[in-house]
Amino acid sequence: MTTESQVPGADELQVSEAQIAVHWKEEQLYYPPPKFIGQANAADPAIRERFSEDKFPECFKEYADLLTWDQYWHTTLDTSNPPFWRWFVGGKLNASYNCVDRHVRTRPNQAALVFVPEPEDQETVVVTYRELYRRVNETAAMLRDFCGLKAGDRVTLHMPMVPELPVLMLACARLGVIHSQVFAGFSGAACGGRIADSQSRVLITMDGYYRNGDLLDHKVKADEAVERAKQEGQEVDKVLVYRRHSGQYSSKTPMVQGRDVFVDEVMPDYRGKLVDPVSLPAEAPLFIMYSSGTTGRPKGCQHSIGGYLAYVTGTSKYYQDIHPEDTYWCAADIGWITGHSYIVYGPLSLGTTSVVYEGVPTYPDPGRPWRIAERLGVNIFHTAPTTIRMLRKVGPTEPKKYDYHFKHMTTVGEPIEPDVWRWYYEVVGKGEAVIVDTWWQTENGGFLCSTLPGLEPMKPGSAGPGVLGIYPVIYDENGEEVPKGSGRAGNICIRNPWPGIFQTIWGDPDRFVKTYYEKYNKDPKSTDWRDWPYFSNDGATQAPDGYYRILGRVDDVINVAGHRLGTKELESASVLVEEVAEAAAVPVVDELRGRAVEMYISLKPGVTATNVEEKVAKVIETEIGKVARPKNVWIVPDMPKTRSGKIMRRVIAGISNFTDVGDITTLANPEVVEEIRSHVQSVKEARGDVPKTLTEKEAEEIKAFGQVD
Ligand code: WTA
């Protein structure tokens, strides 16, 4: 991406992100403990050889062979229609069979899922593989016979973190129905937009769920979602409502006659029913997962059955080091890709025990995660830097009080600061566990960069090298390779296709090509994969030892506590407030959540502001969800703009973060900057809301923020 020129009087000249030098201290290496190596799935260094570039794409046979195929494939990778890659062509399989049926024979009484409700006085629920088989079959029968769903149809799930969610996903997979699970924290409106985009006529939700001690009303969002979908042209004819407490309705909204049904009233009709898993082509879609990007509309990332499942199974085996006898807890939400790949599909495909926790990690106190780990014997733990930062802040010595032992821990979703990494290693992991810092995206299906836990040393703050079969490269704006050890940042790309890569953006193949491949494509006519590097939209640098350090998004995405929020989504929500003329969203460095959102608003001429700040915050909650609620909303007399009328987000981002606003002589209205700065900063100072001094890396990010397009 490009940022506004820093050169006075030259708006047209642009300085590329790739040219910004990033300096940091090299961190000390940590080596995996011998005890871990002794049992690791990947302990033989020859594995790197097996996945070397000259073995591509056949190397991925090793992942595909972890699955049970109804029909073996004949072509590993078909590149005839780039960049719409087809993996394992000719193969047929069923994802539900692979995650459920095949384990029923070998380990029927092993726990597949362990559900931990948020209230500690509610019983933990163990779902064995045999029980999972029963539930998936009955649910599939209900979806097929009661909802009339069949292979290729889409269904939207707006489910919280309860075991019914993975059961539903697997029931869909059994039929070939494409599930689109929307994060439960998202608003009804956001869900409705996704229903419309995916053309689902069935919405599946729950009446309520526990969060921070409260039983939230969730069904209310279903009514809003259906309404919004209708406005966008999609009718929903059935809303299936699970009840958090069977037989007891926890929502205030009425059930709509003829549309809404309680699942616990319908399901008895399907008791004991078995549904044959539908044998589907490897390239048939398994699910859609929406994600934010540069433009307003969320992108429906479409993932395949064969390639995706092979990739998450392989990476779960070698990078999560999952064995069937492990107890694995990934504390992400299944409403995000991490949960799809590394709570549900990867772990269950390997036949392990996967923990599903309903609520907030610090409820009712910061010892909660460690009590869960102790009680269930969790030995693999997976979470995000935001959670680690929060747990460190509120309970820095809690882990010591509990007798649990992790062999392996993961961090994902945001860059992790080296000192947070060290707390995770020393205090949470008690110095006994390996850590993998896994970098990847919704679009990717599974990990892209990480150390191999038994073979490669860890470096705090670095994701490590490309994972097996992934060959990354950093390009500058001109497509020149940024060499390792140069200290320069650039755009990290992946030179090759891999089985987990998404197939397209649902309903928008042009946008798929444009967003991810156009930038570094060498020849649009070429059917050689080497001409089609995948552009990740992340900035990175590569150390002399080859490890990548991910700097964060180079597009207009703000990563709040691991949630990807598009500035355009935030801004278009804000302008729905009648008084608002223009809106700009910027990130502010936040001690706990990584980044928080601040909104800058200018009003329509002649209007007087009454409570506009709250109206803007509210509309963002309604349109997107509470996660996106801005930390501050600032009303400004005018936005700082270039002479061609573009809002200079980096200037206001600098103000919010108390960093240098950079050169403003090219602005059409430079005088407004000081006015905004003194207002915003004096209010923040008065509130004690001044961010700590930014690290060099954070300051670079803020300086580069806000693409001028
Ligand atoms: C960021 C989550 C630094 C990155 C799996 C990416 C990371 C975005 C890391 C994708 C990491 C993810 N270190 N940054 N280990 N992992 N990111 O789609 O900016 O929700 O582009 O997928 O999170 O977020 P998404």
Side-chain angles (χ1 to χ4, degrees):
M1 82 158 223
T2 53
T3 58
E4 184 70 3
S5 168
Q6 318 274 308
V7 184
D11 311 41
E12 270 67 79
L13 255 181
Q14 299 194 317
V15 171
S16 87
E17 162 105 354
Q19 288 158 22
I20 298 170
V22 179
H23 305 282
W24 69 81
K25 190 165 113 290
E26 266 297 303
E27 296 286 336
Q28 161 204 352
L29 295 177
Y30 289 67
Y31 289 86
K35 196 171 156 196
F36 179 84
I37 300 172
Q39 58 81 64
N41 282 329
D44 176 3
I47 195 167
R48 275 275 168 210
E49 273 303 298
R50 300 206 297 274
F51 283 86
S52 65
E53 200 169 336
D54 56 318
K55 311 261 174 23
F56 179 86
E58 298 308 321
C59 55
F60 283 114
K61 178 180 182 319
E62 182 163 338
Y63 282 4
D65 283 347
L66 296 170
L67 305 181
T68 306
W69 294 82
D70 303 330
Q71 187 178 304
Y72 209 64
W73 72 91
H74 50 71
T75 306
T76 306
L77 172 63
D78 171 2
T79 65
S80 60
N81 182 25
F84 301 91
W85 316 117
R86 296 165 74 218
W87 282 89
F88 310 125
V89 186
K92 288 183 125 188
L93 78 169
N94 182 281
S96 168
Y97 178 89
N98 274 280
C99 293
V100 186
D101 303 38
R102 61 176 177 157
H103 310 308
V104 175
R105 272 188 236 125
T106 49
R107 51 184 76 90
N109 296 319
Q110 186 194 307
L113 299 168
V114 180
F115 171 58
V116 182
E118 191 192 68
E120 251 177 318
D121 57 1
Q122 290 182 19
E123 288 291 330
T124 294
V125 179
V126 174
V127 183
T128 62
Y129 274 97
R130 192 199 296 275
E131 172 68 7
L132 182 63
Y133 175 76
R134 192 188 65 79
R135 290 201 195 186
V136 167
N137 272 283
E138 290 173 356
T139 305
M142 177 186 70
L143 295 177
R144 185 189 62 190
D145 301 341
F146 182 73
C147 300
L149 290 165
K150 55 177 190 324
D153 292 346
R154 279 80 57 205
V155 56
T156 298
L157 316 178
H158 198 199
M159 292 288 289
M161 281 292 284
V162 290
E164 288 80 359
L165 171 54
V167 168
L168 271 166
M169 290 161 64
L170 294 164
C172 289
R174 200 166 189 84
L175 300 168
V177 171
I178 304 167
H179 57 77
S180 166
Q181 154 70 10
V182 177
F183 172 52
F186 271 167
S187 66
C191 178
R194 288 156 173 80
I195 292 174
D197 191 81
S198 63
Q199 299 141 305
S200 307
R201 18 170 228 96
V202 177
L203 169 65
I204 308 183
T205 188
M206 192 167 237
D207 60 343
Y209 62 99
Y210 288 93
R211 200 132 185 102
N212 241 332
D214 297 323
L215 181 55
L216 303 183
D217 186 341
H218 187 60
K219 160 65 166 60
V220 62
K221 291 186 178 175
D223 299 322
E224 293 160 5
V226 170
E227 187 54 41
R228 175 61 63 102
K230 192 172 174 186
Q231 286 164 14
E232 296 189 18
Q234 179 64 34
E235 292 280 348
V236 171
D237 41 58
K238 274 199 173 57
V239 178
L240 265 54
V241 183
Y242 280 86
R243 286 193 273 199
R244 179 61 182 77
H245 297 286
S246 190
Q248 176 189 324
Y249 187 44
S250 321
S251 168
K252 290 203 175 62
T253 49
M255 295 289 279
V256 176
Q257 269 291 327
R259 185 196 76 182
D260 300 354
V261 283
F262 289 127
V263 174
D264 53 41
E265 289 178 357
V266 181
M267 198 66 99
D269 296 346
Y270 301 95
R271 190 140 294 154
K273 287 257 169 1
L274 294 180
V275 173
D276 279 342
V278 179
S279 190
L280 295 149
E283 324 96 89
L286 178 61
F287 66 86
I288 303 171
M289 162 74 53
Y290 284 88
S291 189
S292 297
T294 307
T295 60
R297 220 154 47 84
K299 301 176 282 202
C301 298
Q302 176 189 316
H303 285 279
S304 69
I305 302 174
Y308 170 84
L309 195 63
Y311 196 68
V312 298
T313 305
T315 50
S316 292
K317 177 169 177 180
Y318 293 135
Y319 286 91
Q320 296 294 286
D321 199 55
I322 290 176
H323 302 60
E325 55 278 17
D326 288 325
T327 299
Y328 168 87
W329 180 19
C330 170
D333 195 291
I334 300 175
W336 298 114
I337 192 71
T338 301
H340 272 47
S341 300
Y342 298 114
I343 297 177
V344 182
Y345 286 112
L348 296 183
S349 171
L350 290 172
T352 198
T353 300
S354 185
V355 176
V356 174
Y357 173 56
E358 177 176 34
V360 233
T362 48
Y363 182 84
D365 59 69
R368 185 69 190 277
W370 322 127
R371 278 202 293 287
I372 294 174
E374 178 185 86
R375 173 134 189 230
L376 302 183
V378 172
N379 65 339
I380 308 181
F381 183 66
H382 185 149
T383 194
T386 292
T387 307
I388 305 170
R389 288 190 287 261
M390 191 162 67
L391 289 167
R392 178 173 76 156
K393 182 165 182 186
V394 294
T397 58
E398 284 300 302
K400 280 201 194 82
K401 301 180 190 161
Y402 298 91
D403 183 24
Y404 66 84
H405 295 277
F406 296 150
K407 67 167 183 177
H408 181 292
M409 302 192 299
T410 299
T411 167
V412 62
E414 312 154 66
I416 184 165
E417 301 79 357
D419 75 305
V420 176
W421 189 99
R422 278 187 284 272
W423 182 78
Y424 195 37
Y425 181 81
E426 277 149 22
V427 181
V428 176
K430 305 178 177 182
E432 305 166 331
V434 288
I435 295 182
V436 289
D437 178 344
T438 57
W439 168 69
W440 60 297
Q441 314 168 307
T442 306
E443 294 86 339
N444 310 150
F447 305 144
L448 292 182
C449 282
S450 166
T451 48
L452 256 174
L455 290 169
E456 292 159 355
M458 308 161 247
K459 195 200 288 182
S462 289
V467 300
L468 297 169
I470 298 287
Y471 323 115
V473 61
I474 299 178
Y475 287 130
D476 68 11
E477 285 303 310
N478 307 318
E480 297 297 328
E481 204 169 318
V482 177
K484 65 180 177 189
S486 68
R488 282 196 300 137
N491 299 319
I492 183 163
C493 297
I494 309 299
R495 288 193 288 109
N496 61 301
W498 65 97
I501 182 68
F502 69 140
Q503 300 176 290
T504 186
I505 296 174
W506 181 261
D508 204 345
D510 293 344
R511 189 174 170 203
F512 169 74
V513 180
K514 197 166 176 311
T515 313
Y516 301 96
Y517 293 97
E518 203 168 69
K519 190 171 174 83
Y520 292 115
N521 173 240
K522 293 173 194 140
D523 171 8
K525 293 207 182 64
S526 168
T527 56
D528 183 345
W529 58 263
R530 290 167 193 82
D531 292 326
W532 293 89
Y534 167 80
F535 171 48
S536 72
N537 285 288
D538 269 320
T541 60
Q542 194 182 19
D545 60 12
Y547 278 27
Y548 292 95
R549 182 159 173 141
I550 307 300
L551 303 173
R553 304 290 301 193
V554 298
D555 59 1
D556 293 339
V557 166
I558 305 179
N559 190 335
V560 178
H563 303 291
R564 262 168 78 169
L565 305 172
T567 50
K568 295 254 177 22
E569 286 167 71
L570 293 155
E571 291 160 5
S572 30
S574 305
V575 297
L576 293 174
V577 175
E578 214 190 313
E579 295 93 328
V580 173
E582 278 186 310
V586 296
V588 50
V589 172
D590 183 270
E591 209 190 315
L592 286 183
R593 292 149 63 85
R595 301 288 175 271
V597 171
E598 291 204 354
M599 297 301 306
Y600 283 75
I601 299 294
S602 67
L603 300 177
K604 288 179 185 155
V607 302
T608 32
T610 43
N611 216 8
V612 171
E613 291 91 339
E614 184 50 30
K615 285 185 197 162
V616 168
K618 223 39 266 153
V619 79
I620 288 175
E621 278 189 19
T622 326
E623 290 297 305
I624 306 172
K626 281 209 169 63
V627 284
R629 189 182 167 91
K631 185 167 183 189
N632 287 301
V633 178
W634 305 107
I635 297 179
V636 298
D638 196 8
M639 297 284 183
K641 283 184 185 155
T642 63
R643 287 189 205 110
S644 54
K646 288 164 184 161
I647 299 176
M648 292 288 288
R649 291 200 188 82
R650 71 158 167 84
V651 172
I652 46 183
I655 293 173
S656 278
N657 288 283
F658 287 75
T659 51
D660 184 11
V661 294
D663 177 55
I664 54 166
T665 54
T666 61
L667 294 195
N669 54 352
E671 67 293 342
V672 80
V673 175
E674 181 47 32
E675 194 179 336
I676 300 174
R677 193 200 60 76
S678 69
H679 169 66
V680 168
Q681 295 188 346
S682 62
V683 173
K684 286 190 152 209
E685 273 159 3
R687 286 188 197 151
D689 180 19
V690 179
K692 61 165 183 33
T693 310
L694 267 49
T695 63
E696 205 169 334
K697 176 176 158 246
E698 288 164 347
E700 290 289 1
E701 176 196 315
I702 298 302
K703 203 163 123 193
F705 188 75
Q707 185 176 8
V708 176
D709 49 17

